[in-house]
Amino acid sequence: MLNTPEAPDKTRNARLEARISSDQKDFFQRAATLTGRTLSELVIDSTQEAAAKIVQAHEAVRLSREEQVAFVSALLTPSEPGARLQQAVQRYRQQAGL
């Protein structure tokens, strides 16, 4: 499973409720039974997995092959600092007494 905040040995002391139709509950119960889990286990496991995928998709940076090459090239061969940056460094060094 993906990196998630819930550890198996943590005490469960929070409650989550959701209103669903009878048909949905029957369907979820059927899935739980088929997998040998309780309804709560099925809902918690499925929700945890879905949430982890959503968080991972939003936190990951995806680059095309062209973008990857440009990124690595910029790291390996950085451009020279411009005049404004050089002036800023010079001012900083003077103020810091370096």
Side-chain angles (χ1 to χ4, degrees):
M1 187 182 290
L2 301 168
N3 187 17
T4 58
E6 182 66 31
D9 60 342
K10 285 191 176 178
T11 302
R12 295 182 179 183
N13 58 5
R15 186 168 187 84
L16 176 67
E17 294 184 35
R19 293 257 181 226
I20 59 174
S21 70
S22 295
D23 289 343
Q24 285 175 309
K25 184 177 179 187
D26 292 343
F27 184 65
F28 297 161
Q29 183 61 61
R30 181 175 174 213
T33 301
L34 290 170
T35 59
R37 295 183 281 183
T38 66
L39 180 56
S40 290
E41 289 170 337
L42 174 76
V43 171
I44 291 167
D45 292 347
S46 300
T47 304
Q48 184 82 24
E49 185 177 328
K53 287 180 183 178
I54 291 167
V55 169
Q56 181 184 37
H58 283 81
E59 291 180 348
V61 176
R62 302 214 191 300
L63 302 175
S64 68
R65 179 51 112 188
E66 183 179 308
E67 292 167 330
Q68 291 174 26
V69 170
F71 179 73
V72 171
S73 294
L75 290 175
L76 296 176
T77 56
S79 59
E80 292 295 320
R84 289 180 65 192
L85 181 57
Q86 288 177 356
Q87 290 170 358
V89 168
Q90 198 173 41
R91 280 191 311 272
Y92 171 78
R93 288 182 176 157
Q94 287 173 350
Q95 290 173 354
L98 300 176

